Amino acid sequence: MHSSGRSILGRTLVLFLIGFSALCIIVGTATWLFARTTTYTASIVSIREARATLVDLKSLVQDAETGQRGFLLTGRDTYLVPFERARAEIPQRLDQLRQSAAVLPELHGQLDELDPAIRQKLDELSQTIDLARQGRRDEVLRIIDSDRGKILMDQIRQRFDQLTQVADHGFAAAVDRQRETASLLRWVAFLGALVILAVVGGATLTVMRHTRALASARAEIER
């Protein structure tokens, strides 16, 4: 019985070590996967904010051009309200876009080309407005006929389209990675549960066998 008790103790200790190791692995893996999920969630939020800022920024640039055209056609300062608002808000939107785009290096890199193009466009709009206010319509017409403003606006639209595509691809990739991580987390939890059930079942079976052996030995002694 003494050797049997030591055998039972050894088996129980092995099962305990297996269960403890499995629990440590499960907790460690789950913590790592949860951290990855949190990172991907933050990336998704940032990319979505970057895309929304892109839409707002594009609208502001278009509003600025619309206000300039209205003023050149009518000479009325009321048409400059969207231009003035856009000129005031665009720098702030560009800063917001850079902060949100930090999670996507390819998106952040293309902003270096969009930023100067927008500033050049605003300078061109401001120049024509100033010349119109001074009554120098011929110079305004020469600038318009040079197609400089159209070329700049075409470049800006192209940049916006490229940035939007990059943001959409980055958003989709982040969502896919988040789903994969969530799936792995479920599998880890499932496999961990199986290991723990197996350990508990093995320990229970060992105890039951030992109990039956004790009962049998006691009956043997009593006989």
Side-chain angles (χ1 to χ4, degrees):
M1 290 300 298
H2 182 64
S3 61
S4 176
R6 285 192 301 176
S7 176
I8 294 297
L9 180 61
R11 292 177 185 176
T12 304
L13 181 60
V14 169
L15 290 172
F16 172 77
L17 291 176
I18 293 174
F20 181 75
S21 300
L23 182 61
C24 290
I25 293 173
I26 292 169
V27 171
T29 305
T31 301
W32 176 66
L33 291 174
F34 180 77
R36 287 186 61 184
T37 302
T38 302
T39 300
Y40 293 146
T41 300
S43 298
I44 290 171
V45 172
S46 296
I47 295 172
R48 187 167 57 185
E49 290 177 352
R51 198 187 189 287
T53 305
L54 277 171
V55 174
D56 293 341
L57 188 57
K58 183 178 180 180
S59 178
L60 286 172
V61 175
Q62 291 173 340
D63 288 346
E65 187 179 50
T66 300
Q68 176 244 21
R69 288 177 180 176
F71 175 76
L72 294 181
L73 289 173
T74 66
R76 295 166 58 182
D77 288 343
T78 53
Y79 282 90
L80 291 179
V81 173
F83 168 78
E84 297 294 346
R85 180 176 64 86
R87 187 170 60 174
E89 292 185 12
I90 283 175
Q92 180 183 359
R93 296 292 185 180
L94 283 171
D95 290 340
Q96 291 177 353
L97 185 57
R98 287 188 180 280
Q99 294 175 4
S100 300
V103 295
L104 282 177
E106 58 273 31
L107 186 64
H108 195 269
Q110 292 194 29
L111 289 177
D112 294 335
E113 299 177 359
L114 177 65
D115 192 341
I118 291 178
R119 296 185 188 278
Q120 290 176 28
K121 180 61 181 177
L122 291 177
D123 290 341
E124 180 260 337
L125 295 176
S126 298
Q127 183 183 12
T128 55
I129 291 172
D130 292 340
L131 290 172
R133 280 175 169 169
Q134 298 170 19
R136 299 159 65 179
R137 308 290 297 185
D138 292 340
E139 295 181 45
V140 173
L141 291 176
R142 279 198 296 271
I143 294 175
I144 294 175
D145 290 340
S146 68
D147 288 337
R148 176 189 168 196
K150 179 180 181 302
I151 293 172
L152 282 173
M153 199 63 191
D154 289 341
Q155 291 175 351
I156 290 171
R157 288 193 180 96
Q158 184 180 7
R159 295 297 178 195
F160 273 120
D161 291 340
Q162 292 173 350
L163 288 167
T164 300
Q165 290 179 0
V166 171
D168 289 341
H169 289 321
F171 183 84
V175 170
D176 289 340
R177 288 194 295 267
Q178 188 184 44
R179 288 174 178 171
E180 291 173 359
T181 303
S183 178
L184 285 174
L185 187 58
R186 286 193 296 269
W187 274 108
V188 168
F190 176 72
L191 293 176
L194 288 181
V195 172
I196 291 174
L197 286 175
V199 170
V200 172
T204 302
L205 182 62
T206 300
V207 171
M208 291 176 62
R209 287 178 176 176
H210 183 58
T211 302
R212 284 198 297 268
L214 289 176
S216 177
R218 182 175 180 179
E220 182 79 16
I221 293 173
E222 289 178 350
R223 282 197 298 271

